[in-house]
Amino acid sequence: MTYTVHLPDTACFTAWRQAAQLAISHHIPPEDIDWSGVETLFGLTPLPKERGPRRVAVPPAFLSLAETVIWHRAQDRGGLLYQALWRISRGDLAALSPSDGLGRTLTLMASAVKRDIHKMHAFVRFREIAGEHTRRRFVAWFEPEHHTLEPASPFFVQRFADMDWMIATPDLSAHFTEGALRFGAGMPRPNLPEDASAALWDTYFANIFNPARIKLSAMRSEMPKKYWRNLPETRLIPDMLADAEARVQRMHQAGTTAPRPGAAAISARYRASMPVATEVSPETLDEARQAALQCRRCSLCEAATRTVWGEGDVGASLMIVGEQPGDREDLEGRPFVGPAGQVLRDLMGKVGMAAAEVWLTNAVKHFKFLPRGRHRLHQSPDRKEIEACRWWLDLELSLVRPRLTLALGASATFALTGNRAAMTRRRGMVEQGLHGGPVLISWHPSFILRLPNPQESEKARRELEQDLRTAWQMREAKDITPPAGVPG
């Protein structure tokens, strides 16, 4: 029997989640569900109405992924997500890793949806509609690649709460009237009138154009041509490009002034901070490092000096993952070079482990701190920051492919396992990671340095040394399987 599930145009994630919970509770395999909602010769066979006996707990990372992927235009998006849920329900967490075929597909789909939402936020252009109304009214037309109008709309609600507006797309329309948002059917492109603000925008756009910095490939990457027909200012681009060379000559003739001291360093950092598209995963660790230098996945990059990428043996059988860079790591651009890193490296030496033989990295790649005068006080990354940076950690895992991963501290343990349970009972245990591989859990060396009691500090130091020795021995074992009963 093949069950049929129809996903609605709105509240799609809620509908998918309810259907998936119902199906998994009855242990219905993925091949027995058609998520397209298309009626067959035998009609529609809906899922059972009542919940079955089975209950499945999933990592928060999967819900976050599903809540994004479900807006993809691919007809099989619901089925792919259910395949991942089915595998997770059977203990296979590799379905969430970019190193897995299904995990990579879902990751790319999520990236495409996020990029589409970003493009909608950047390229929607409103036109004012005249009429007798208490609030000003605006209309916009957009053609998204995916079903992203609903998840993109809260941005416009917050940004334009003092006016009424409508965004029309071929699939759906969003209507914000008197402070209330509702969705309606899609529609053809409306006949939008010209208004004074459009002329003002054209003037601004023409005046910020810098002919000396023309990079057509970069411009098409950030503003693909498919969006041009709906952007009024793009009709100015051909004339501006045609006049670019003459404008450059006029700029040279006008003369230049010497840059202020330090301007070169600021300019270099600005260029390094520009966002890059990550829809296509880098193929090597060097490519990944270059892409990470331009990461804008969370706000930590705004205050940190640089991205701190991992280092060591690119084919290491053991990966050691800490929390985040500290002050010294942020300044030098290398992991584990500050006080906590020195503790770790000393203990590694005691067990015969060289830093060049492992891969050293952090769950979060930017330093989070609180400024206090001339000092920067460490702050632990929050859940959203860890989850935002998990994309890079998964990429490292897929490229290094360690046989064993050593998680140092609660943040690294959560990033690798998706489990926020207390560290006390988990230290020294092996759990299955979200990437499908084994994870040995231990203390972070900074935890040892913060312990005020010397006896407790020495005890934690011995335990970390013991876990490092265990990890170094386990990496060569034929079978590294988390023992039964370990919390996961």
PDB file of all heavy atoms in Angstrom, residues 6-23:
ATOM      1  N   HIS A   6      -0.334  15.216   1.017  1.00  0.00           N
ATOM      2  CA  HIS A   6      -0.351  16.494   0.296  1.00  0.00           C
ATOM      3  C   HIS A   6       0.162  17.589   1.224  1.00  0.00           C
ATOM      4  O   HIS A   6      -0.350  17.772   2.330  1.00  0.00           O
ATOM      5  CB  HIS A   6      -1.765  16.840  -0.158  1.00  0.00           C
ATOM      6  CG  HIS A   6      -1.879  18.232  -0.718  1.00  0.00           C
ATOM      7  ND1 HIS A   6      -1.370  18.573  -1.952  1.00  0.00           N
ATOM      8  CD2 HIS A   6      -2.425  19.365  -0.199  1.00  0.00           C
ATOM      9  CE1 HIS A   6      -1.604  19.859  -2.171  1.00  0.00           C
ATOM     10  NE2 HIS A   6      -2.240  20.361  -1.124  1.00  0.00           N
ATOM     11  N   LEU A   7       1.203  18.304   0.792  1.00  0.00           N
ATOM     12  CA  LEU A   7       1.740  19.414   1.572  1.00  0.00           C
ATOM     13  C   LEU A   7       1.115  20.714   1.092  1.00  0.00           C
ATOM     14  O   LEU A   7       1.160  21.026  -0.104  1.00  0.00           O
ATOM     15  CB  LEU A   7       3.258  19.475   1.429  1.00  0.00           C
ATOM     16  CG  LEU A   7       4.026  18.256   1.978  1.00  0.00           C
ATOM     17  CD1 LEU A   7       5.516  18.400   1.704  1.00  0.00           C
ATOM     18  CD2 LEU A   7       3.771  18.092   3.470  1.00  0.00           C
ATOM     19  N   PRO A   8       0.515  21.504   1.988  1.00  0.00           N
ATOM     20  CA  PRO A   8      -0.164  22.744   1.585  1.00  0.00           C
ATOM     21  C   PRO A   8       0.817  23.839   1.183  1.00  0.00           C
ATOM     22  O   PRO A   8       2.029  23.727   1.401  1.00  0.00           O
ATOM     23  CB  PRO A   8      -0.933  23.133   2.858  1.00  0.00           C
ATOM     24  CG  PRO A   8      -0.097  22.574   3.970  1.00  0.00           C
ATOM     25  CD  PRO A   8       0.476  21.282   3.441  1.00  0.00           C
ATOM     26  N   ASP A   9       0.283  24.907   0.609  1.00  0.00           N
ATOM     27  CA  ASP A   9       1.126  26.030   0.179  1.00  0.00           C
ATOM     28  C   ASP A   9       1.638  26.839   1.359  1.00  0.00           C
ATOM     29  O   ASP A   9       2.688  27.482   1.271  1.00  0.00           O
ATOM     30  CB  ASP A   9       0.336  26.945  -0.768  1.00  0.00           C
ATOM     31  CG  ASP A   9       0.004  26.260  -2.084  1.00  0.00           C
ATOM     32  OD1 ASP A   9       0.777  25.367  -2.479  1.00  0.00           O
ATOM     33  OD2 ASP A   9      -1.025  26.612  -2.700  1.00  0.00           O
ATOM     34  N   THR A  10       0.891  26.866   2.469  1.00  0.00           N
ATOM     35  CA  THR A  10       1.309  27.597   3.668  1.00  0.00           C
ATOM     36  C   THR A  10       1.374  26.625   4.847  1.00  0.00           C
ATOM     37  O   THR A  10       0.774  25.553   4.817  1.00  0.00           O
ATOM     38  CB  THR A  10       0.336  28.744   3.993  1.00  0.00           C
ATOM     39  OG1 THR A  10      -0.983  28.208   4.182  1.00  0.00           O
ATOM     40  CG2 THR A  10       0.301  29.758   2.858  1.00  0.00           C
ATOM     41  N   ALA A  11       2.109  27.065   5.899  1.00  0.00           N
ATOM     42  CA  ALA A  11       2.303  26.214   7.078  1.00  0.00           C
ATOM     43  C   ALA A  11       2.791  24.827   6.664  1.00  0.00           C
ATOM     44  O   ALA A  11       2.384  23.807   7.200  1.00  0.00           O
ATOM     45  CB  ALA A  11       1.025  26.111   7.898  1.00  0.00           C
ATOM     46  N   CYS A  12       3.696  24.804   5.701  1.00  0.00           N
ATOM     47  CA  CYS A  12       4.131  23.542   5.096  1.00  0.00           C
ATOM     48  C   CYS A  12       4.923  22.685   6.089  1.00  0.00           C
ATOM     49  O   CYS A  12       4.761  21.463   6.135  1.00  0.00           O
ATOM     50  CB  CYS A  12       4.983  23.845   3.870  1.00  0.00           C
ATOM     51  SG  CYS A  12       5.330  22.426   2.820  1.00  0.00           S
ATOM     52  N   PHE A  13       5.780  23.319   6.889  1.00  0.00           N
ATOM     53  CA  PHE A  13       6.588  22.545   7.834  1.00  0.00           C
ATOM     54  C   PHE A  13       5.708  21.883   8.890  1.00  0.00           C
ATOM     55  O   PHE A  13       5.920  20.719   9.232  1.00  0.00           O
ATOM     56  CB  PHE A  13       7.624  23.440   8.515  1.00  0.00           C
ATOM     57  CG  PHE A  13       8.389  22.724   9.597  1.00  0.00           C
ATOM     58  CD1 PHE A  13       9.283  21.712   9.290  1.00  0.00           C
ATOM     59  CD2 PHE A  13       8.189  23.050  10.934  1.00  0.00           C
ATOM     60  CE1 PHE A  13       9.974  21.041  10.287  1.00  0.00           C
ATOM     61  CE2 PHE A  13       8.876  22.387  11.938  1.00  0.00           C
ATOM     62  CZ  PHE A  13       9.778  21.381  11.609  1.00  0.00           C
ATOM     63  N   THR A  14       4.719  22.614   9.395  1.00  0.00           N
ATOM     64  CA  THR A  14       3.806  22.043  10.388  1.00  0.00           C
ATOM     65  C   THR A  14       3.087  20.829   9.822  1.00  0.00           C
ATOM     66  O   THR A  14       2.953  19.787  10.485  1.00  0.00           O
ATOM     67  CB  THR A  14       2.792  23.094  10.852  1.00  0.00           C
ATOM     68  OG1 THR A  14       3.497  24.203  11.431  1.00  0.00           O
ATOM     69  CG2 THR A  14       1.836  22.523  11.888  1.00  0.00           C
ATOM     70  N   ALA A  15       2.619  20.941   8.576  1.00  0.00           N
ATOM     71  CA  ALA A  15       1.908  19.831   7.939  1.00  0.00           C
ATOM     72  C   ALA A  15       2.834  18.635   7.744  1.00  0.00           C
ATOM     73  O   ALA A  15       2.448  17.480   7.988  1.00  0.00           O
ATOM     74  CB  ALA A  15       1.323  20.279   6.612  1.00  0.00           C
ATOM     75  N   TRP A  16       4.074  18.908   7.281  1.00  0.00           N
ATOM     76  CA  TRP A  16       5.009  17.796   7.078  1.00  0.00           C
ATOM     77  C   TRP A  16       5.347  17.127   8.405  1.00  0.00           C
ATOM     78  O   TRP A  16       5.377  15.898   8.495  1.00  0.00           O
ATOM     79  CB  TRP A  16       6.306  18.294   6.433  1.00  0.00           C
ATOM     80  CG  TRP A  16       7.300  17.178   6.275  1.00  0.00           C
ATOM     81  CD1 TRP A  16       7.403  16.307   5.236  1.00  0.00           C
ATOM     82  CD2 TRP A  16       8.289  16.775   7.228  1.00  0.00           C
ATOM     83  NE1 TRP A  16       8.397  15.385   5.471  1.00  0.00           N
ATOM     84  CE2 TRP A  16       8.968  15.645   6.689  1.00  0.00           C
ATOM     85  CE3 TRP A  16       8.683  17.250   8.480  1.00  0.00           C
ATOM     86  CZ2 TRP A  16       9.995  15.004   7.359  1.00  0.00           C
ATOM     87  CZ3 TRP A  16       9.712  16.608   9.148  1.00  0.00           C
ATOM     88  CH2 TRP A  16      10.357  15.504   8.602  1.00  0.00           C
ATOM     89  N   ARG A  17       5.583  17.926   9.428  1.00  0.00           N
ATOM     90  CA  ARG A  17       5.970  17.364  10.726  1.00  0.00           C
ATOM     91  C   ARG A  17       4.859  16.476  11.298  1.00  0.00           C
ATOM     92  O   ARG A  17       5.133  15.389  11.809  1.00  0.00           O
ATOM     93  CB  ARG A  17       6.300  18.499  11.698  1.00  0.00           C
ATOM     94  CG  ARG A  17       6.853  18.031  13.037  1.00  0.00           C
ATOM     95  CD  ARG A  17       7.242  19.212  13.900  1.00  0.00           C
ATOM     96  NE  ARG A  17       7.890  18.784  15.134  1.00  0.00           N
ATOM     97  CZ  ARG A  17       8.336  19.612  16.069  1.00  0.00           C
ATOM     98  NH1 ARG A  17       8.210  20.932  15.893  1.00  0.00           N
ATOM     99  NH2 ARG A  17       8.901  19.142  17.171  1.00  0.00           N
ATOM    100  N   GLN A  18       3.619  16.940  11.188  1.00  0.00           N
ATOM    101  CA  GLN A  18       2.501  16.144  11.699  1.00  0.00           C
ATOM    102  C   GLN A  18       2.369  14.833  10.934  1.00  0.00           C
ATOM    103  O   GLN A  18       2.159  13.759  11.528  1.00  0.00           O
ATOM    104  CB  GLN A  18       1.206  16.952  11.622  1.00  0.00           C
ATOM    105  CG  GLN A  18       1.168  18.127  12.587  1.00  0.00           C
ATOM    106  CD  GLN A  18      -0.048  19.009  12.384  1.00  0.00           C
ATOM    107  OE1 GLN A  18      -0.764  18.898  11.376  1.00  0.00           O
ATOM    108  NE2 GLN A  18      -0.288  19.914  13.324  1.00  0.00           N
ATOM    109  N   ALA A  19       2.509  14.910   9.606  1.00  0.00           N
ATOM    110  CA  ALA A  19       2.405  13.698   8.792  1.00  0.00           C
ATOM    111  C   ALA A  19       3.564  12.749   9.073  1.00  0.00           C
ATOM    112  O   ALA A  19       3.385  11.527   9.161  1.00  0.00           O
ATOM    113  CB  ALA A  19       2.362  14.070   7.312  1.00  0.00           C
ATOM    114  N   ALA A  20       4.776  13.305   9.212  1.00  0.00           N
ATOM    115  CA  ALA A  20       5.941  12.466   9.476  1.00  0.00           C
ATOM    116  C   ALA A  20       5.835  11.785  10.840  1.00  0.00           C
ATOM    117  O   ALA A  20       6.184  10.603  10.987  1.00  0.00           O
ATOM    118  CB  ALA A  20       7.217  13.311   9.400  1.00  0.00           C
ATOM    119  N   GLN A  21       5.367  12.521  11.853  1.00  0.00           N
ATOM    120  CA  GLN A  21       5.185  11.918  13.180  1.00  0.00           C
ATOM    121  C   GLN A  21       4.172  10.781  13.120  1.00  0.00           C
ATOM    122  O   GLN A  21       4.361   9.734  13.747  1.00  0.00           O
ATOM    123  CB  GLN A  21       4.723  12.985  14.177  1.00  0.00           C
ATOM    124  CG  GLN A  21       5.800  13.979  14.583  1.00  0.00           C
ATOM    125  CD  GLN A  21       5.261  15.071  15.481  1.00  0.00           C
ATOM    126  OE1 GLN A  21       4.069  15.400  15.455  1.00  0.00           O
ATOM    127  NE2 GLN A  21       6.126  15.668  16.277  1.00  0.00           N
ATOM    128  N   LEU A  22       3.112  11.004  12.358  1.00  0.00           N
ATOM    129  CA  LEU A  22       2.081   9.978  12.226  1.00  0.00           C
ATOM    130  C   LEU A  22       2.632   8.734  11.524  1.00  0.00           C
ATOM    131  O   LEU A  22       2.433   7.606  11.967  1.00  0.00           O
ATOM    132  CB  LEU A  22       0.895  10.552  11.449  1.00  0.00           C
ATOM    133  CG  LEU A  22      -0.440   9.805  11.526  1.00  0.00           C
ATOM    134  CD1 LEU A  22      -0.924   9.740  12.963  1.00  0.00           C
ATOM    135  CD2 LEU A  22      -1.469  10.500  10.638  1.00  0.00           C
ATOM    136  N   ALA A  23       3.363   8.953  10.439  1.00  0.00           N
ATOM    137  CA  ALA A  23       3.897   7.832   9.659  1.00  0.00           C
ATOM    138  C   ALA A  23       4.946   7.050  10.443  1.00  0.00           C
ATOM    139  O   ALA A  23       4.935   5.811  10.455  1.00  0.00           O
ATOM    140  CB  ALA A  23       4.483   8.345   8.347  1.00  0.00           C
TER     141      ALA A  23
END
